[in-house]
Amino acid sequence: MKILVCVSNVPDTTTKITFTDNNTQFNTNGVQFILNPYDEIALSRAIELTDGGKGTVTVINVGEVNTEATIRKALAIGATDAVRINAKAHDAWYVAFQIAQYVKANPFDLILTGRESIDYNGSKVAGMLGELLDLPSVSIIKKLDAADSEATVEREIEGGKEVLTIPYPFVAGAAEGVAEPKIPNMRGIMSARTKPLTVIEPVEVKTFSDIISYETLAPRGQVTLVPAADTAKLVDLLHTEARVI
Amino acid sequence: MSVLIYAENAGGTFKKSIFEAVSYAKAIADQNNTNLIAISIGNVSAGELASLGKYGAQKVLNVSGDKLKNFVNQAYASVIAEAAKKEGANIVVLSNTFSGRGLAPRIGVKLEAGVADGAVALPEQNGGKFTVKKTAFSGKAFAIVELSSANKVIALVPNSYKVVETGGSAQIEDFAAETKESDFKAMIKEIVRSTDKVSLPDAEIVVSAGRGLKGPENWGMVEELAGLLGAATACSKPVSDAGWRPHSEHVGQTGIAVSPNLYIAIGISGAIQHLAGISSSKVIVVINKDPEAPFFKVADYGIVGDAFEVVPQLIAAVKAYKASA
Ligand SMILES: Cc1cc2nc3c(=O)[nH]c(=O)nc-3n(C[C@H](O)[C@H](O)[C@H](O)COP(=O)(O)OP(=O)(O)OC[C@H]3O[C@@H](n4cnc5c(N)ncnc54)[C@H](O)[C@@H]3O)c2cc1C
Ligand SMILES: Nc1ncnc2c1ncn2[C@@H]1O[C@H](COP(=O)(O)O)[C@@H](O)[C@H]1O
């Protein structure tokens, strides 16, 4: 089985998010970038499914040269090889279009993404790839079992779940539950340096959306502390002051 | 030109998040002096379809029949995009539900439309610019996205826009959608719906607990409090990682983002990754035995105390309040 895992390079989860240039630019000063946690889950499942010579795992990223540390991390975790499409990831549409071009020339049995990137949270790349390649897509999956000609996936719905069978090839976005994230070992880290990383140039794409500015969250007021022995007071405040019950 | 809203049903009925999305779509139609058309797919009763009129849909396109009875992402996207083209709708609105998040990107590609997922406010339209405010950085900030394409797809976050009754009525029309076989490759084997529990993404009140509760056997009081308040239950990441609670309850940066009216956090420290997913809650109550817990810094109300004493008392106080109301 040939699996493609789409990986993105995102700010570490502990990052305090700030902006510069009149709130038009994300302030990357001092920010550490990591492999998107959901992509790590997707990659870990792909490695499990191909373990023991049952296939290959290619990781692909749309990004400039500064994303290579993240790509090497994916190789250290156990991907077979990597592709970087040398361009700034403008938006999900741009990313999906570039990856779809690559897949049209290099078919895969299974294409995995993370359920969302933790910076822009679109959950869009999987669905867009599915549409561009005319393949089924499930944007958020909780479980993935692979048989020879089809896979069984579980997806969450509000207040429940759905179980689906899908023939290969298809696209799915991995969420928690799909796999335990794998940690690279020493051998993985050593071999990652010599695994193939192919850099290709982007194709031209129309632009449909742009982020023009950012807003930070409105600060909250001071906390009102209620004595532990007076829970009735809390209930009263929630009813009369906050008006939420 | 018109606005098309996809009214997703859950087992044949529309939830509040759909009425929010219809109200939101109606406001966008009003901004553009145009009309609002709704589309429903699956087997939904005439009475239920008509209810969309109350929130501003002038017309409801009804796509029924066994083939499209259950949600198939690819096929539903084809039907909605086809309806948008036939009706000349250049703005398609969805609710940012699990299914909505599967549909929006596919519809976007079909219509060559910019997609604003996770919208939290009405679009602004100034000097030919169409911008939408959306969540970004997992709830730590917002991004203002300009959609420059002629067609646009917007997915509204549940609980971020108020339901508005216009008192109108809708005309219901059958819509015969052409579907192609290749849209039905994904097959549903099983749908499990728990009807007795409030679903977390669209809950108005959430009662959440963390590692401070020590073990899964202590969740009885969390469920009891949630039951009394008509709330959904949630938890921090280590709690679901340890298998005390299901992954579907984990909120935060790498879990579900929620924006309820009231979020009650019990025995949760308030790590930045947890706060990311809950910071758009309208009112936050924190119960923690450590007065230095970071969660108190973002709380509206707090009780410093032992959860095993405070929560049972709070349950009693809520019962007393309900008995007197
Ligand atoms: C990549 C990454 C992603 C992450 N994503 C998430 C995420 O999405 N969501 C998330 O929640 N976390 C996430 N985390 C984990 C996060 O950093 C914290 O570790 C986690 O939120 C802590 O959970 P907790 O508050 O339940 O436990 P703890 O930090 O152990 O806090 C327990 C709290 O309970 C209090 N307590 C103890 N006993 C009692 C008692 N008897 N009565 C009252 N209070 C009591 C303590 O004072 C303490 O404040 C992530 C971490 C990483 C590295
Ligand atoms: N620049 C990128 N390069 C490769 N894959 C990406 C990129 N950005 C996002 N993805 C993939 O798409 C998924 C969803 O991203 P998003 O649609 O931005 O939420 C991520 O989890 C990745 O798997």
Side-chain angles (χ1 to χ4, degrees), chain A residues 6-8 36 38-39 60-63 89 92 95 99 112-117 120-126:
Chain A
C6 306
V7 296
S8 53
N36 188 38
Y38 297 116
D39 305 354
I60 190 164
N61 168 260
V62 179
V95 168
I99 296 176
L112 295 177
T113 69
R115 85 156 213 220
E116 65 187 43
S117 55
Y120 295 109
N121 313 104
S123 292
K124 289 193 291 206
V125 171

Side-chain angles (χ1 to χ4, degrees), chain B residues 124-325:
Chain B
E124 291 199 10
Q125 302 184 44
N126 291 322
K129 271 196 178 193
F130 188 105
T131 58
V132 184
K133 179 169 165 175
K134 63 152 282 177
T135 56
F137 298 101
S138 304
K140 292 179 186 170
F142 299 102
I144 310 297
V145 181
E146 180 184 357
L147 300 181
S148 49
S149 48
N151 291 329
K152 299 164 180 77
V153 175
I154 307 175
L156 176 73
V157 172
N159 262 322
S160 53
Y161 193 81
K162 281 231 156 16
V163 173
V164 182
E165 289 206 23
T166 59
S169 64
Q171 161 204 344
I172 300 167
E173 276 178 22
D174 282 329
F175 182 80
E178 285 175 31
T179 51
K180 49 178 188 159
E181 249 354 272
S182 62
D183 275 351
F184 290 90
K185 285 189 198 137
M187 305 258 282
I188 296 186
K189 275 202 351 200
E190 195 190 353
I191 301 175
V192 186
R193 251 183 243 282
S194 52
T195 40
D196 54 326
K197 282 192 103 183
V198 182
S199 107
L200 182 55
D202 42 33
E204 287 180 34
I205 301 182
V206 174
V207 179
S208 187
R211 207 145 53 177
L213 254 58
K214 309 284 186 285
E217 65 281 5
N218 297 324
W219 248 262
M221 60 184 188
V222 177
E223 288 186 331
E224 187 179 358
L225 181 59
L228 282 170
L229 294 170
T233 49
C235 67
S236 65
K237 183 177 188 309
V239 164
S240 63
D241 283 348
W244 297 359
R245 301 295 293 176
H247 278 307
S248 55
E249 282 197 2
H250 150 205
V251 293
Q253 179 151 15
T254 53
I256 288 183
V258 294
S259 48
N261 294 335
L262 174 60
Y263 185 83
I264 303 180
I266 305 165
I268 304 177
S269 58
I272 185 166
Q273 296 102 339
H274 186 85
L275 300 182
I278 62 103
S279 51
S280 55
S281 305
K282 271 136 226 140
V283 174
I284 296 175
V285 172
V286 170
I287 299 170
N288 196 305
K289 70 174 183 190
D290 174 10
E292 301 299 323
F295 221 140
F296 284 116
K297 293 207 176 66
V298 298
D300 298 287
Y301 301 97
I303 291 184
V304 179
D306 186 335
F308 296 101
E309 288 163 22
V310 174
V311 176
Q313 284 179 33
L314 183 57
I315 288 170
V318 173
K319 280 184 182 159
Y321 156 75
K322 288 186 92 172
S324 70

Side-chain angles (χ1 to χ4, degrees), chain A residues 157-160 162, chain B residues 6-18 40-44 48 69-71 76 97 99 191 193 195 199 202:
Chain A
I157 54 176
E158 283 70 17
E162 233 173 63
Chain B
Y6 168 57
E8 170 187 342
N9 74 83
T13 56
F14 299 122
K15 289 199 187 170
K16 182 171 155 267
S17 55
I18 299 306
S40 162
I41 312 177
N43 295 340
V44 181
E48 192 69 15
K69 188 175 70 181
N70 290 323
F71 179 76
Y76 274 39
T97 58
S99 298
I191 301 175
R193 251 183 243 282
T195 40
S199 107
D202 42 33

Side-chain angles (χ1 to χ4, degrees), chain A residues 26-227:
Chain A
F26 170 49
N27 184 5
T28 55
N29 205 346
V31 172
Q32 199 193 332
F33 281 81
I34 58 165
L35 174 59
N36 188 38
Y38 297 116
D39 305 354
E40 213 166 76
I41 295 175
L43 174 63
S44 301
R45 188 66 186 133
I47 292 167
E48 286 169 9
L49 293 176
T50 53
D51 227 5
K54 289 203 297 281
T56 58
V57 179
T58 301
V59 290
I60 190 164
N61 168 260
V62 179
E64 293 172 306
V65 68
N66 58 346
T67 67
E68 286 198 359
T70 288
I71 298 176
R72 290 283 173 208
K73 164 99 186 272
L75 290 170
I77 292 174
T80 319
D81 56 7
V83 176
R84 181 171 68 82
I85 300 178
N86 186 25
K88 195 165 181 294
H90 179 79
D91 61 7
W93 161 248
Y94 184 91
V95 168
F97 197 93
Q98 301 298 340
I99 296 176
Q101 283 312 107
Y102 178 79
V103 174
K104 280 177 188 165
N106 305 274
F108 288 86
D109 301 306
L110 177 62
I111 301 170
L112 295 177
T113 69
R115 85 156 213 220
E116 65 187 43
S117 55
I118 63 165
D119 47 2
Y120 295 109
N121 313 104
S123 292
K124 289 193 291 206
V125 171
M128 287 179 169
L129 269 176
E131 192 58 43
L132 287 165
L133 297 167
D134 198 19
L135 297 177
S137 64
V138 188
S139 289
I140 305 179
I141 60 167
K142 292 282 194 184
K143 215 173 155 197
L144 167 64
D145 288 323
D148 284 343
S149 62
E150 61 173 28
T152 303
V153 306
E154 232 176 76
R155 79 172 189 105
E156 206 172 330
I157 54 176
E158 283 70 17
K161 65 170 188 187
E162 233 173 63
V163 183
L164 304 126
T165 53
I166 319 178
Y168 307 118
F170 67 90
V171 191
E176 276 190 309
V178 166
E180 281 303 319
K182 287 193 192 310
I183 297 158
N185 57 25
M186 208 51 205
R187 220 186 59 192
I189 294 167
M190 297 304 287
S191 66
R193 294 192 195 143
T194 53
K195 283 181 181 172
L197 193 173
T198 313
V199 178
I200 55 179
E201 291 306 314
V203 290
E204 198 140 344
V205 185
K206 275 190 257 179
T207 302
F208 297 145
S209 78
D210 296 276
I211 292 181
I212 54 169
S213 64
Y214 297 93
E215 279 178 26
T216 48
L217 302 183
R220 283 183 190 267
Q222 271 279 327
V223 55
T224 304
L225 286 178
V226 177

